[in-house]
Amino acid sequence: AIQAVQTAARNLAYRKKYFDCIKDSIIYFPTCRKLILSKDLIEEAEKYYYEKEDEFPAEYSKALRTVVFNASCDTTQKTREDPIDDEEFMEKLAMEWTEALD
């Protein structure tokens, strides 16, 4: 199960980049946190989990989402300066990470 999640994360996470001119930094997205909370990561992990007819265990999915949700709640309460969180806006201006290498 761990290998399936890792493979899915490599395929989906941090595939685009956005330059934040206010902070003069590059933001890579989508984050693993967003992918886990939106269930996209688990759906992708099912493709790599044993055979095609096998489903990713619901207990693992629930545990992973619970940990990420609780961690993100703790983080947002402690820090107020989060990177730009508007993926729709970033998506319009972003480029694929591989394009940046050209």
Side-chain angles (χ1 to χ4, degrees), residues 48-70:
Y48 305 102
Y49 186 72
Y50 294 113
E51 300 295 324
K52 288 188 178 189
E53 60 273 353
D54 293 327
E55 284 190 25
F56 195 80
E59 307 87 42
Y60 295 173
S61 175
K62 183 179 178 183
L64 189 58
R65 289 175 50 109
T66 301
V67 168
V68 170
F69 179 76
N70 289 339

Side-chain angles (χ1 to χ4, degrees), residues 2-33:
I2 294 171
Q3 248 181 340
V5 171
Q6 288 175 337
T7 303
R10 278 193 296 272
N11 290 342
L12 296 178
Y14 307 112
R15 302 306 292 178
K16 296 191 179 218
K17 72 177 196 171
Y18 167 77
F19 180 72
D20 184 354
C21 59
I22 295 171
K23 293 185 179 180
D24 195 29
S25 64
I26 295 176
I27 299 171
Y28 292 92
F29 70 99
T31 62
C32 289
R33 177 178 62 93

Side-chain angles (χ1 to χ4, degrees), residues 27-94:
I27 299 171
Y28 292 92
F29 70 99
T31 62
C32 289
R33 177 178 62 93
K34 285 210 180 249
L35 292 171
I36 291 168
L37 293 177
S38 69
K39 297 184 182 180
D40 292 338
L41 187 72
I42 300 303
E43 289 174 5
E44 182 74 12
E46 282 185 350
K47 296 177 185 176
Y48 305 102
Y49 186 72
Y50 294 113
E51 300 295 324
K52 288 188 178 189
E53 60 273 353
D54 293 327
E55 284 190 25
F56 195 80
E59 307 87 42
Y60 295 173
S61 175
K62 183 179 178 183
L64 189 58
R65 289 175 50 109
T66 301
V67 168
V68 170
F69 179 76
N70 289 339
S72 64
C73 286
D74 291 343
T75 303
T76 53
Q77 289 175 358
K78 292 177 186 171
T79 61
R80 299 308 281 164
E81 270 191 52
D82 291 333
I84 294 176
D85 207 22
D86 188 4
E87 280 195 20
E88 276 185 36
F89 175 74
M90 289 192 303
E91 185 75 37
K92 292 177 184 175
L93 302 173

